[in-house]
Amino acid sequence: MDRVPDYESVGWAFESPRAHLNALIGGVTMVRNANRDEYFMGLAIHEAKKALERKEVPVGALIVKEGEIIARGFNGCMNYSDPTAHAEILTIRRACKTLNNNNLSNCTLYVTLEPCIMCLKAMSLAKINVFVFGAYDSDMGAVESTWNLVNEKVFNYDVVFRGGVKEKECSELLKDFFNKIRKEQKNEKEI
């Protein structure tokens, strides 16, 4: 796919109308409003910091419908003793409850870390057709890093996504968290 960096923001834009049309036909588009995405990603980062305060992996998420936040969440795996309590899953549950509907089409999910396979499938089941993520996940990322499941038809409808929004800030939160954990573990071994 012929892509060039989007000069007004981090992320990708299509170089030609033909490439853009090819992507639309394939069901994937990567063009979004940079200012709106950066604003909402900043709020998702705020959610990630709440996770950090609770000694959870700092991943935050929120779901927006028509410019209004309908749900927020952050990782809860440790506090809930639930390996499925990822920020995306908890936020999807809250959004469905808020709307009293399991169909979240016309909503946008913002998350500070590239979704894993489980979260990507949950987004598909909830019919979320627009999502934006911050940091890339070289271990478990299912969108572009480890797997490219968006192009493998995990979604049976058209999807718009954008990765790398406020990537540096999102990545630093995660790196600092894991460096602190490693340092604590090293200090415990020395005692």
Side-chain angles (χ1 to χ4, degrees):
M1 186 177 299
D2 54 335
R3 301 182 296 180
V4 295
D6 176 358
Y7 294 106
E8 64 183 59
S9 64
V10 177
W12 295 97
F14 291 94
E15 181 178 350
S16 68
R18 181 172 170 243
H20 183 71
L21 179 62
N22 287 341
L24 286 173
I25 292 168
V28 179
T29 311
M30 292 184 278
V31 178
R32 295 277 304 141
N33 180 315
N35 293 335
R36 179 181 58 225
D37 290 348
E38 297 221 356
Y39 171 75
F40 285 120
M41 186 59 71
L43 297 176
I45 290 168
H46 180 71
E47 293 299 311
K49 289 177 180 177
K50 291 179 185 177
L52 193 60
E53 292 169 6
R54 291 165 176 81
K55 299 185 187 218
E56 291 279 358
V57 176
V59 178
L62 50 97
I63 295 178
V64 175
K65 182 171 183 158
E66 298 170 0
E68 181 181 340
I69 298 169
I70 60 169
R72 302 169 185 257
F74 51 85
N75 268 3
C77 297
M78 301 301 287
N79 286 301
Y80 294 126
S81 299
D82 179 357
T84 68
H86 290 197
E88 299 96 312
I89 302 290
L90 297 175
T91 305
I92 288 169
R93 288 176 184 161
R94 289 179 183 126
C96 289
K97 191 171 186 175
T98 298
L99 297 178
N100 198 28
N101 192 338
N102 66 350
N103 183 336
L104 300 178
S105 59
N106 300 318
C107 293
T108 302
L109 183 138
Y110 292 87
V111 62
T112 58
L113 181 63
E114 179 180 4
C116 68
I117 294 171
M118 174 184 70
C119 293
L120 197 62
K121 188 59 184 176
M123 291 162 53
S124 168
L125 293 170
K127 299 191 179 10
I128 293 173
N129 57 348
V130 179
F131 66 94
V132 179
F133 66 88
Y136 290 87
D137 185 350
S138 61
D139 292 328
M140 299 298 291
V143 180
E144 291 185 302
S145 297
T146 306
W147 297 281
N148 188 340
L149 296 182
V150 173
N151 288 328
E152 296 296 327
K153 297 295 180 193
V154 169
F155 294 85
N156 59 353
Y157 51 86
D158 290 347
V159 176
V160 177
F161 75 95
R162 180 170 177 230
V165 176
K166 292 193 172 240
E167 179 181 6
K168 183 177 179 185
E169 194 172 344
C170 294
S171 294
E172 285 176 358
L173 266 176
L174 290 158
K175 286 176 188 172
D176 291 348
F177 173 79
F178 286 112
N179 285 339
K180 183 179 177 186
I181 295 286
R182 287 184 197 102
K183 186 176 179 180
E184 289 172 359
Q185 290 173 343
K186 183 180 177 184
N187 288 340
E188 287 176 7
K189 286 181 182 179
E190 291 177 357
I191 294 177

